[in-house]
Amino acid sequence: MTLLKLAIKSTLNRKASVLLTLCTIAISVMLLLSIERVRHDAKSSFSNTISGTDLIVGARTGDIQLLLSSVFRIGHTNNAVSWKSYLDIKERKGVAWTIPISLGDSHKGHAVLGTDATYFTHYRYGKKQHLAFQHGRAFHNAQEVVLGSDVANKLHYHIGHQIVISHGMGNTSFHHHDDNPMTIVGILAPTGTPVDKTLHIPLIAVDAMHKSSHTQPMMIGKKSQQNDHAQHQHGNTHQHAEDNNSHHNEHNEHNEHNEHNEHNEHNEHDEHNEHNEHEEHNEHNEHNEHDEHDHPHGTLDSEPSDLVGSPNQITAFLMGFDSPLYTLQVRRNINMYKAEPLLAIMPGLTLRELWDMLDIVEKILLLFSIVVVLVSLLGMLTTLLATLSQRRRELAILRSVGARPIHIFALMSSEAILITFMGCVAGCILFYGLLLTANPLLQSQFGISLTIGWLSNYELTLLGVIMSAGTLMGLLPAARAYFYSLADGMSIKI
């Protein structure tokens, strides 16, 4: 107990150097624990990018390639799944739900995903968390789109804004579906997964846009191609007026079009046509401005309609089962499906395989933390050795009052252990403070949900290793002090 008191008083007597050493050890311990916690929880969050999904089914390709394209929106699959096969597998025994996915379009570099209403009901991430809406609602018809949080924040979009989807997955596209503008009706809450960087539209919208791109532009669920072609023949002015009115009453628009055709055929009422067209154009402009002003941030109401249609094919689909017993059986049947070559993967296993490929990153992080701790302990050793020559008189006085060499050795060792222990305690305090501060940011921006709880057994083992290393570092200055003689300490050097 006397040696411990002497060690504490001796440490307090050298406040400046001890405080610097203490801060160095504390920061290194904080970094080690933080890197280890982020490394562990990043692996867990990576595995939980998609949860609650038993199988992902797509055209036959590699497991990781199918996972990257369907979940992370990275790359693309060369083939697709026919709609007939999807409906057949959907009706299999034990299937609780399915989510069709259609990819291949984008908007300003962000992936566009075609799906149906089951996506917002059954898709889960993290620890089986459901998708939630930050603003608005799910889409109800083919003209509506739901944005991920990152898309809305980056592009400064709000409820009621209209956007245009582009063909292809790259940042640059040479074909835009500008004849089929989509209205934003919902913005999802941040998830920290690829969902945040995705635009979600109904399957029927994807199918209609791709079909219209091969013929003549058409509004989804609006006028026929024949009317558009006839309209184009009667002048750009009349076409512009009707385009502005495309979201209003279709029946009145068709009647007005027939009246204009009769006037143009007889060439008798040109002035009357121009007058009506001008008034109609002004009315539509005023109405459009009124709608845009009234609904920039609110919730838009619409009548629910068909969201699926009759697509020929989809990119992939997700499956959930009533019981885990059906998973392996259905997976085997899909992989041996005779109608077309298909592949069914279990996302949890494939995610772990993908993480194993990134094992080198995990090792680099661990090596970095070990180096940081060693540097801090070497700093403590340097400080103790540098102050040892200045303390030779102090040690000689202790020897003169009866302290044995073993007592001097124990005193120096105790100081090193005390500094290391205090550094570990301070590092743990900084570690938890950092967790509380950084956890919301890591969750929203990178999808890494940090666990704020007691130190794990592995982390306690790391602290034990640091304490042992600190004790070993203190043995060298203690051994040197052990061999100092009384005469050497009391002599005056000029």
Side-chain angles (χ1 to χ4, degrees), residues 4 21 79 110 164 182 240 245 274 315 338 375 443 490:
L4 180 61
T21 305
N79 298 310
H110 298 280
V164 174
M182 310 291 290
H240 176 68
N245 194 32
E274 293 177 359
T315 304
K338 295 182 179 180
V375 169
Q443 172 65 34
M490 294 296 293

Side-chain angles (χ1 to χ4, degrees), residues 32-335:
L32 175 64
L33 295 179
S34 300
I35 291 175
E36 178 57 32
R37 183 65 63 91
V38 169
R39 185 181 67 87
H40 178 271
D41 290 345
K43 183 177 181 179
S44 177
S45 298
F46 182 80
S47 301
N48 293 329
T49 301
I50 179 173
S51 63
T53 297
D54 297 316
L55 289 180
I56 299 177
V57 183
R60 187 165 296 172
T61 181
D63 292 12
I64 294 179
Q65 183 180 359
L66 177 58
L67 178 75
L68 291 176
S69 61
S70 59
V71 176
F72 293 94
R73 326 287 191 247
I74 299 175
H76 62 278
T77 56
N78 296 326
N79 298 310
V81 181
S82 67
W83 186 250
K84 181 179 179 181
S85 298
Y86 165 71
L87 294 178
D88 177 44
I89 298 174
K90 179 181 179 181
E91 300 301 325
R92 296 291 177 93
K93 181 181 178 181
V95 177
W97 52 265
T98 58
I99 301 176
I101 290 176
S102 182
L103 297 166
D105 292 326
S106 63
H107 175 73
K108 297 184 178 180
H110 298 280
V112 173
L113 182 145
T115 185
D116 59 10
T118 58
Y119 180 86
F120 303 106
T121 305
H122 297 293
Y123 188 92
R124 282 173 286 180
Y125 68 97
K127 298 177 181 178
K128 294 188 177 181
Q129 298 171 259
H130 290 273
L131 296 177
F133 281 87
Q134 190 175 31
H135 303 290
R137 54 167 174 80
F139 44 65
H140 287 169
N141 57 58
Q143 296 298 121
E144 298 178 345
V145 58
V146 173
L147 307 183
S149 61
D150 285 357
V151 179
N153 293 333
K154 182 178 179 180
L155 302 179
H156 306 290
Y157 286 159
H158 301 285
I159 301 298
H161 286 183
Q162 287 192 337
I163 62 174
V164 174
I165 305 301
S166 303
H167 185 68
M169 297 291 289
N171 292 326
T172 303
S173 177
F174 296 99
H175 179 73
H176 305 285
H177 302 292
D178 47 6
D179 53 319
N180 298 313
M182 310 291 290
T183 303
I184 301 173
V185 297
I187 299 175
L188 294 171
T191 64
T193 68
V195 174
D196 297 341
K197 300 177 175 63
T198 306
L199 294 85
H200 309 83
I201 64 176
L203 271 178
I204 189 174
V206 177
D207 188 50
M209 284 188 294
H210 289 170
K211 285 182 178 178
S212 64
S213 64
H214 293 290
T215 56
Q216 193 163 0
M218 60 177 291
M219 293 297 292
I220 302 174
K222 299 295 181 181
K223 299 178 296 182
S224 65
Q225 297 176 14
Q226 291 82 359
N227 285 342
D228 283 340
H229 181 67
Q231 175 188 358
H232 178 71
Q233 292 178 344
H234 291 288
N236 291 331
T237 306
H238 180 66
Q239 182 180 7
H240 176 68
E242 288 190 351
D243 284 340
N244 286 335
N245 194 32
S246 61
H247 63 284
H248 293 298
N249 193 308
E250 295 177 6
H251 180 69
N252 292 336
E253 186 180 48
H254 181 69
N255 291 338
E256 291 172 354
H257 182 66
N258 291 336
E259 291 178 3
H260 292 322
N261 287 342
E262 293 175 1
H263 290 312
N264 289 334
E265 287 176 359
H266 293 89
N267 293 323
E268 294 177 354
H269 304 288
D270 291 336
E271 294 180 359
H272 178 66
N273 286 342
E274 293 177 359
H275 180 69
N276 288 340
E277 195 171 331
H278 179 70
E279 290 181 351
E280 184 180 340
H281 182 71
N282 289 338
E283 284 182 0
H284 297 329
N285 286 341
E286 291 176 1
H287 188 67
N288 289 338
E289 292 175 0
H290 177 70
D291 285 346
E292 187 175 350
H293 179 71
D294 287 345
H295 305 288
H297 304 286
T299 301
L300 300 180
D301 296 327
S302 63
E303 292 294 332
S305 61
D306 182 23
L307 300 177
V308 177
S310 55
N312 295 326
Q313 60 186 18
I314 56 176
T315 304
F317 59 94
L318 314 181
M319 300 185 69
F321 296 94
D322 296 323
S323 171
L325 298 177
Y326 292 106
T327 303
L328 295 178
Q329 178 184 355
V330 175
R331 182 190 182 191
R332 180 176 179 274
N333 294 336
I334 292 175
N335 290 335

Side-chain angles (χ1 to χ4, degrees), residues 450-465:
L450 298 180
T451 303
I452 302 177
W454 297 106
L455 295 175
S456 64
N457 292 333
Y458 182 71
E459 291 167 340
L460 289 174
T461 302
L462 290 178
L463 291 179
V465 171

